[in-house]
Amino acid sequence: FFLFGVGHMLDTHQLAGAYDVDAKTSAAVVKAIQATSADSAKVMFAYVMASRVEGAVWVALGISAFVAVLVPSHRAATCFVFFMACSLAAAVHAQHVGLLGEVPEFVVKHEANMMLLALDGVAAALSLLSFVLLSINGTAKNKVA
């Protein structure tokens, strides 16, 4: 999560690689759209900014996972946060492949959409399982003490 987040936080154009568009082409497209009008520049900034903020969130998740390795008492809560983040990301991808109603008009059909849904879904399931197991283990320790 940390490397993924840092990668697109620092260079948003790398994200287009998931859809078979190299970073140089992505940058050229953004520049061309921004040049059409002041409003286009603002729209592109909003999308690029949101992408960079998403990168920052994934970096924060990666840092929290590292902290949870060092501080065992934080592990269950960290797993729950990962479960929520991955579940919400999976829900967005589910909408992009048409599992939650009509596919939005801006979605590009590509096999990466299903791959992202599967990866986020598996990550959410593993995070939930980890949360439950850590919570059960913590409850058992508290009862013995």
Side-chain angles (χ1 to χ4, degrees), residues 3-144:
L3 293 177
F4 174 72
V6 169
H8 79 269
M9 189 172 69
L10 297 177
D11 185 2
T12 303
H13 301 298
Q14 295 297 328
L15 281 176
Y19 294 94
D20 308 317
V21 178
D22 65 59
K24 195 179 275 188
T25 302
S26 174
V29 168
V30 168
K31 194 175 244 184
I33 292 170
Q34 288 176 321
T36 60
S37 74
D39 286 340
S40 295
K42 292 173 190 171
V43 169
M44 286 309 302
F45 174 71
Y47 288 131
V48 170
M49 179 201 46
S51 172
R52 295 183 73 211
V53 169
E54 179 192 13
V57 170
W58 287 112
V59 169
L61 286 169
I63 292 169
S64 69
F66 179 72
V67 170
V69 168
L70 300 175
V71 185
S73 62
H74 293 309
R75 289 181 185 162
T78 300
C79 289
F80 184 76
V81 170
F82 268 76
F83 164 66
M84 293 303 300
C86 293
S87 295
L88 292 170
V92 170
H93 299 308
Q95 182 188 32
H96 291 170
V97 298
L99 297 178
L100 297 177
E102 193 173 325
V103 175
E105 72 280 350
F106 57 81
V107 172
V108 175
K109 292 184 185 230
H110 192 279
E111 61 270 3
N113 296 338
M114 189 58 80
M115 180 191 67
L116 291 168
L117 171 60
L119 290 174
D120 283 332
V122 168
L126 292 174
S127 298
L128 179 60
L129 178 63
S130 297
F131 170 72
V132 169
L133 293 174
L134 287 165
S135 297
I136 290 170
N137 188 28
T139 301
K141 284 182 181 176
N142 289 338
K143 285 185 180 179
V144 172

